[in-house]
Amino acid sequence: MKKVLYAGTFDPITNGHLDLIERASKLCDTLVVGVMENQAKKPFFTTEERSAMIKACTEHLPNIEVDTFDGLLAHYVKLHHIDAVIRGLRASMDFEFEIQMAQMNARLYKKDVETIFLMTSPDYSFVSSSIVKEVFSLHGDIEGLVPPAVMAELKRKYNR
C-alpha cells in the first residue's frame, strides 16, 4: 500500500497510539497521522500542540506525515488519495463502534479503500487519552503510558 491514514484526536497521543503508528508504518510507503479537529470533544490540547507532540514522538520514523483535518474522514480519504485507513482496537466494545464507522465510511468512499483493524498491544489495552488526562489531573502516575514529549507538555499545561 502506498498511502495509509491513522486518524484520531490524539488528545494527547499515548504509547498505545505510538505502538500502532510504529506497527502501521511498516505496512505502507507513507503513513499519514491525521489529527482530527473534533469540537464536540472539547480538546485539552490545541490541534497545533497535538500535531507538534506527534511529530516529536514519530521523528524516528521516516515515512510518517502529520496532518490535521475536520469534517468527514471519507472526504479526507478521497481528497488525499488514501489507500487504507488504520483503526486501533483495545477491546470488544471498540469493535462494535469501529465496525459501524468502517461500514459507513466504506459506503461514503465509493472506491476501494480498506479499513485495517490493528489490535492494541496488551500493555496498552486499557489506555485512552481521556484516562491519561484524568489520572494526571488527579496527580496519578502515568509514567510509561505516554511518550516523554507528552509528559512534558502535560506538566507544562497543568503548570507542574
Side-chain angles (χ1 to χ4, degrees), residues 6-7 10 13-28 31-34 53-55 57-61 63-66 86 118:
Y6 177 41
F10 306 108
I13 186 171
T14 68
N15 283 343
H17 293 129
L18 190 54
D19 174 62
L20 286 175
I21 289 168
E22 289 172 344
R23 291 169 39 219
S25 72
K26 297 173 186 171
L27 303 175
C28 55
L31 177 65
V32 179
V33 180
M53 285 185 283
I54 294 167
K55 287 175 184 173
C57 297
T58 61
E59 64 187 2
H60 65 287
L61 300 169
N63 64 332
I64 302 296
E65 293 178 8
V66 179
I86 299 288
L118 291 179

Side-chain angles (χ1 to χ4, degrees), residues 35-130:
V35 181
M36 297 172 66
E37 296 180 35
N38 184 345
Q39 296 310 315
K41 285 193 172 186
K42 305 229 188 283
F44 182 71
F45 289 102
T46 67
T47 305
E48 294 77 19
E49 289 169 326
R50 289 180 276 148
S51 295
M53 285 185 283
I54 294 167
K55 287 175 184 173
C57 297
T58 61
E59 64 187 2
H60 65 287
L61 300 169
N63 64 332
I64 302 296
E65 293 178 8
V66 179
D67 196 8
T68 62
F69 70 98
D70 60 1
L72 287 175
L73 179 80
H75 291 165
Y76 185 90
V77 164
K78 283 182 187 179
L79 184 65
H80 295 276
H81 310 288
I82 301 293
D83 299 307
V85 175
I86 299 288
R87 300 302 299 167
L89 298 175
R90 291 174 296 198
S92 60
M93 65 182 176
D94 281 350
F95 182 75
E96 296 292 325
F97 173 77
E98 293 293 345
I99 192 72
Q100 185 179 21
M101 291 303 301
Q103 290 169 341
M104 175 55 87
N105 283 332
R107 182 180 181 279
L108 294 172
Y109 297 148
K110 296 188 169 117
K111 68 172 201 154
D112 292 332
V113 175
E114 293 295 331
T115 298
I116 300 169
F117 295 104
L118 291 179
M119 296 302 299
T120 303
S121 165
D123 294 341
Y124 306 115
S125 63
F126 64 94
V127 178
S128 70
S129 296
S130 300

Side-chain angles (χ1 to χ4, degrees), residues 134-155:
E134 183 175 352
V135 169
F136 188 81
S137 72
L138 297 170
H139 303 280
D141 182 12
I142 60 165
E143 192 71 36
L145 302 180
V146 296
V150 173
M151 184 67 86
E153 282 300 301
L154 282 164
K155 288 178 179 177

